[in-house]
Amino acid sequence: MSTGSVLPPLDTPRLLIRQRTLADLEDCIAMDRDPEVTRYIKGPWNDPAEHRKFVEFRITRPYPPGLGYWSIRERRAPEEFVGWVLLIPDHGVGPEVEIGWRLVRDAWGRGIASEAARALVAYALGTRRLPRVIADIASGNVASKRVAVKIGMRWVEQVEEEGARYERYRVEREGLRVG
């Protein structure tokens, strides 16, 4: 479990969205081993030792209060990990707060990412009272850009980082009805 704050459950009628813990480590690693899942994300996916260290660090590192990772499971099969959502400081330091999601391929196309991310946006802007949340999405990742729009985010700009192009999306608290 993160050495930071305890994260509240963000369950929906269909999903169990709970703080990610080391008990989720093997499921996270297995998900990342699918090259289609990590197609648009840079990471140590092909080096087993580095990959494990990377995921363990992301699970155990301290995040500011109320921020971190949540694992997603469906209520109909609570023992099966289907992915995670995150709300963390952008690039690990902020000041912006980033939302993100990753699902096992079997969970794609069923609205799970949108449903979990919508719950996270409501928490971020409502409960946590953050002024805004951003998502930097690889330009070619059409599915994630669709999720961003479905959860109320709007395209802001194109950004380049380490030679890769990303589309920045943002949702703001002001004028937004949450919940």
Side-chain angles (χ1 to χ4, degrees), residues 4-136:
S5 60
V6 174
L7 300 175
L10 301 175
D11 300 347
T12 69
R14 181 169 64 142
L15 303 176
L16 300 172
I17 306 169
R18 309 286 170 85
Q19 184 166 0
R20 186 166 79 160
T21 69
L22 284 171
D24 300 316
L25 177 64
E26 296 305 323
D27 289 326
C28 290
I29 290 172
M31 175 177 64
D32 292 347
R33 282 191 190 125
D34 181 338
E36 280 302 302
V37 170
T38 54
R39 179 177 176 187
Y40 298 106
I41 305 148
K42 291 184 180 188
W45 320 128
N46 296 317
D47 181 330
E50 287 302 310
H51 184 191
R52 179 171 296 278
K53 283 183 0 190
F54 176 83
V55 176
E56 281 179 359
F57 175 71
R58 290 287 183 114
I59 292 172
T60 60
R61 72 164 283 187
Y63 293 99
L67 302 184
Y69 283 75
W70 286 258
S71 289
I72 307 167
R73 290 177 166 71
E74 291 182 90
R75 286 183 187 270
R76 66 176 179 79
E79 68 287 349
E80 291 180 30
F81 173 90
V82 297
W84 52 252
V85 286
L86 65 78
L87 194 62
I88 60 173
D90 190 31
H91 298 291
V93 296
E96 299 284 4
V97 174
E98 172 189 13
I99 188 173
W101 46 85
R102 187 175 307 166
L103 301 179
V104 298
R105 200 181 328 182
D106 288 347
W108 292 3
R110 296 194 284 132
I112 292 172
S114 298
E115 186 173 331
R118 195 173 290 114
L120 205 57
V121 166
Y123 166 76
L125 301 181
T127 305
R128 298 298 308 164
R129 307 291 297 161
L130 296 175
R132 76 191 138 275
V133 175
I134 65 160
D136 287 342

Side-chain angles (χ1 to χ4, degrees), residues 164-178:
R165 284 192 168 164
Y166 295 91
E167 307 291 326
R168 174 158 290 181
Y169 286 78
R170 180 172 59 217
V171 62
E172 297 184 5
R173 179 168 26 101
E174 186 174 303
L176 180 74
R177 227 177 86 200
V178 178

